[in-house]
Amino acid sequence: MGSAITIDQSCDRQNFETAVLQASYDRPVLVDFFATWCGPCQMLKPVLERVIEDYDITLAKVDIDQYPDLATQYHVDGVPDVRVVIRGEVQPGFVGMVPEPRIREFLAAIGLKSQVEAALAETESLIQAQRYPEAKASFDRLFQTYPNHPAVTVAAARFLLQLHQSDHALKLLNTIGPSEEPYYTQAQNLKGLAEFQAWATPDPGASHLEQRFAQGAAAVVVGEYEAALGIFLEIVETDRQFRQDGARKAMVRVFELLGSDHPLVSTYRKRLMQKLY
C-alpha cells in the first residue's frame, strides 16, 4: 500500500515542498534522512521499505550529503534520522537503527493502522458478534495474504482458544520465535492459557484436589484470576506435593499472565511466600 520516493540530485527545496510537505496533506510521509556512508542507514532502509508496504504512507529518502540545506533546516544532527510529516508539519520520529516492532509501535502511537491491523479489527468484530464461521473464513483469507505474520498467528490462536481448540492453538503459537517480539511474549501468555484450558476438565472420578485444581484452571480461562489464585493457594496449603508442586507452578503462570505490575500479583505472591516459608 505504501510507496517510496527519493529526493534526487537534480531536486531542490521546492521539490521537497511538493513531494513531501504538500503530499502529506493526502497521506502521512516518513522522511528518512540518510547518508550512503552510514552503516545503520543501510540496515534501516530495507526495514522501512518493508514496513511501509503495510501502511497507507509514503517514504521519502533524503541524502544529507546531497541536500545539507535540508538537513540543516530540520536540525538533523545524526543519521539515520526519520521524521513524520502530517498535513505539512514535520514532527519528530526516531534516530538510529530501530527494529521493526518499535517502528510499528511508533506508527501506532501516531494513530496509523496497518492493513493487517485493520483486517484483524474487522475479524475481531465478527468474533465479538459471535459470527464464528465468518471469522474463521476471515482468518483463512488473512493467512493466505499474510502467511507468516505473527499478529495474524496470535489472533488466530486466541480465537481457537475461545472455541476451546487448545491443541490447534498451541500448534500455531509454537511457530512464533523469541525474535518476534512483542508477539513472542503474547504467544507465551496464550500458551499458558491453553494449558489452563486443558486442565479445566478433570478426568471422571477425579479426586477432590483434582476437581479443585480444574476449578482454578477454569477460573483462569474466564478471567476470574483472584478466584483462581485463591483456589491454587488453598491446594498449596493442603498438599504441596500435589501434581509435583503443580498448584504453586500454576500460581506462577497466573502471575506471568497478569504481569508484575498487577495488584493481584503482589498480594498473592506475598501470601504464597507465607504459605511456603
Side-chain angles (χ1 to χ4, degrees):
M1 179 185 291
S3 61
I5 60 173
T6 300
I7 306 302
D8 298 323
Q9 291 185 17
S10 59
C11 297
D12 54 22
R13 190 173 297 183
Q14 182 61 43
N15 178 269
F16 187 87
E17 172 78 24
T18 302
V20 175
L21 301 181
Q22 291 183 17
S24 71
Y25 284 89
D26 295 325
R27 62 178 182 174
V29 180
L30 283 183
V31 182
D32 176 21
F33 289 96
F34 74 99
T36 56
W37 45 262
C38 167
C41 296
Q42 305 312 314
M43 295 170 61
L44 182 63
K45 177 183 175 182
V47 178
L48 289 174
E49 292 174 346
R50 182 168 61 248
V51 167
I52 68 159
E53 287 300 317
D54 204 21
Y55 292 83
D56 186 19
I57 56 178
T58 299
L59 173 64
K61 305 170 188 177
V62 180
D63 187 335
I64 64 168
D65 291 327
Q66 296 292 337
Y67 295 98
D69 57 333
L70 287 174
T72 299
Q73 179 181 353
Y74 292 106
H75 307 288
V76 176
D77 297 322
V79 287
D81 186 331
V82 178
R83 310 290 177 90
V84 60
V85 188
I86 300 175
R87 299 190 63 79
E89 181 182 351
V90 180
Q91 303 174 16
F94 51 87
V95 178
M97 174 57 201
V98 174
E100 184 173 332
R102 282 186 54 197
I103 296 175
R104 292 182 180 275
E105 289 173 8
F106 165 71
L107 294 175
I110 62 174
L112 297 180
K113 277 190 175 182
S114 68
Q115 289 178 312
V116 68
E117 289 169 335
L120 285 172
E122 292 179 5
T123 306
E124 181 60 29
S125 67
L126 294 174
I127 296 172
Q128 293 298 322
Q130 298 185 357
R131 294 160 60 180
Y132 298 143
E134 293 172 71
K136 182 186 180 302
S138 180
F139 275 119
D140 289 340
R141 291 191 296 272
L142 282 167
F143 274 117
Q144 289 179 352
T145 307
Y146 308 100
N148 299 309
H149 202 301
V152 176
T153 301
V154 168
R158 187 178 289 111
F159 174 56
L160 288 170
L161 287 177
Q162 189 170 335
L163 298 181
H164 297 279
Q165 297 181 22
S166 55
D167 288 344
H168 294 305
L170 284 170
K171 288 180 181 178
L172 285 178
L173 295 170
N174 285 331
T175 66
I176 299 178
S179 64
E180 297 178 285
E181 286 290 6
Y183 304 106
Y184 178 72
T185 297
Q186 296 173 18
Q188 294 302 106
N189 288 340
L190 287 176
K191 286 170 73 172
L193 281 177
E195 289 182 328
F196 282 114
Q197 194 173 91
W199 295 334
T201 303
D203 294 329
S207 66
H208 172 71
L209 282 183
E210 284 286 358
Q211 292 179 20
R212 289 294 285 161
F213 188 85
Q215 289 170 2
V220 173
V221 171
V222 298
E224 296 178 357
Y225 299 112
E226 185 165 15
L229 288 168
I231 291 171
F232 293 137
L233 186 62
E234 168 196 313
I235 296 174
V236 169
E237 185 177 21
T238 302
D239 184 356
R240 171 73 188 275
Q241 300 308 313
F242 173 76
R243 277 180 168 250
Q244 297 181 321
D245 203 20
R248 183 194 63 80
K249 294 176 182 177
M251 292 186 73
V252 172
R253 286 293 186 92
V254 176
F255 296 158
E256 292 171 349
L257 286 173
L258 296 178
S260 58
D261 294 333
H262 197 286
L264 284 176
V265 173
S266 176
T267 299
Y268 277 88
R269 186 172 279 148
K270 289 177 181 177
R271 293 181 182 178
L272 177 61
M273 291 300 102
Q274 288 171 354
K275 297 296 183 184
L276 295 178
Y277 304 106

